[in-house]
Amino acid sequence: LLGKTTDDADFQQEKKQLFCRFVESDDGEHSVAARVQHMGETRVFSPTQLAAMLLSKLGDIVELETKQKPGFSVIAVPPYYTDRQRRE
């Protein structure tokens, strides 16, 4: 969802499989944002913010389990993505 707009065909297909409500962001560029309940209030997060939160939490879990700070993360894309989708 990073860099996608709400009228993008890829987004329209992906949103059918997602767990939360996606809306248009307030940035004026029609980009995708997620509306979620966070700490008792409704908040809107960009895909970049969600990815950062996820990677941060995963780093915390790795550090807790291994007693070492993680050095780096590898991000993969679903195998059904086309070459164009992988490069975007």
Side-chain angles (χ1 to χ4, degrees):
L1 299 176
L2 295 167
K4 300 291 183 195
T5 60
T6 52
D7 56 354
D8 188 293
D10 292 332
F11 168 68
Q12 294 300 321
Q13 186 65 27
E14 286 285 328
K15 80 176 187 177
K16 296 174 187 173
Q17 304 171 35
L18 300 171
F19 60 91
C20 62
R21 183 168 179 217
F22 282 86
V23 296
E24 190 172 299
S25 70
D26 295 333
D27 65 6
E29 297 182 18
H30 305 290
S31 57
V32 176
R35 180 175 290 151
V36 298
Q37 284 292 116
H38 181 259
M39 300 183 76
E41 62 184 74
T42 301
R43 304 267 315 261
V44 176
F45 295 107
S46 72
T48 304
Q49 290 172 308
L50 294 173
M53 287 187 262
L54 176 64
L55 291 172
S56 177
K57 184 63 177 177
L58 289 173
D60 292 345
I61 292 169
V62 168
E63 185 174 357
L64 181 66
E65 293 295 320
T66 64
K67 310 293 189 259
Q68 296 178 0
K69 283 220 176 259
F72 59 90
S73 299
V74 175
I75 300 173
V77 297
Y80 56 84
Y81 271 24
T82 64
D83 283 340
R84 180 186 60 81
Q85 290 171 313
R86 291 172 194 225
R87 293 181 198 333
E88 289 183 343

